[in-house]
Amino acid sequence: MILPRRRLLIGTAALLATPAGATRSDVATAIAALTKGAPVRHGRVRLDLPLLVENGNVVAMTIDVPDVLPADQRVLSLHAFAEGNPLPHVVNAYFGPRAGRARLSTRIRLATSQTVIAIAACADGSFWSDSVDLLVTLAACVEDI
């Protein structure tokens, strides 16, 4: 027979071991809020992440738009979404008119194996995306928010 106190400890440990991540619909809602319903096309932006991540606490990520775009199509912002994180909108970066090539390198935390999506918002109102499916062996983001 499991005592009530022990049952509470087991339940708490189970909750802490499985991080509450966003769902695909949460990410789709966040992307729709960003794009205001405009279509998101694949291409033009490149997301560079390792396919196998040993430690989800520190994951190197680069979002890059390698093409030189005319001023009326320049990149206004770059965004990253992680489907399995408690907070799916991971990063925003905004670029002014003199910024030049749109490129962002940073480190992020990933809660579990998941898909990471990068979105580039352009001045002409277009949105471009790239995504990477990756495997995380040691999860991060498991504490309460």
Side-chain angles (χ1 to χ4, degrees):
M1 180 173 153
I2 298 177
L3 299 173
R5 188 167 143 196
R6 181 160 298 200
R7 186 176 297 158
L8 176 66
L9 290 174
I10 292 170
T12 303
L15 283 175
L16 291 176
T18 56
T23 63
R24 287 186 188 263
S25 64
D26 293 338
V27 173
T29 301
I31 291 173
L34 170 70
T35 64
K36 296 178 180 54
V40 179
R41 294 180 270 183
H42 185 75
R44 193 174 273 185
V45 63
R46 184 177 61 215
L47 176 61
D48 186 21
L49 277 166
L51 298 178
L52 178 62
V53 176
E54 292 181 17
N55 184 352
N57 286 302
V58 182
V59 181
M61 175 182 75
T62 300
I63 305 172
D64 186 26
V65 180
D67 299 330
V68 177
L69 302 174
D72 62 335
Q73 295 178 358
R74 72 180 180 80
V75 175
L76 298 175
S77 59
L78 296 174
H79 307 269
F81 299 88
E83 290 182 346
N85 278 9
L87 300 173
H89 204 157
V90 177
V91 68
N92 299 318
Y94 297 92
F95 300 91
R98 296 183 185 176
R101 181 175 168 183
R103 180 181 169 98
L104 167 69
S105 291
T106 189
R107 295 185 187 279
I108 61 173
R109 293 179 75 184
L110 295 174
T112 184
S113 299
Q114 59 187 295
T115 301
V116 177
I117 302 166
I119 305 280
C122 295
D124 63 355
S126 64
F127 294 89
W128 299 85
S129 73
D130 191 16
S131 62
V132 173
D133 296 319
L134 47 90
L135 178 68
V136 177
T137 58
L138 177 64
C141 303
V142 292
E143 63 271 349
D144 291 330
I145 45 174

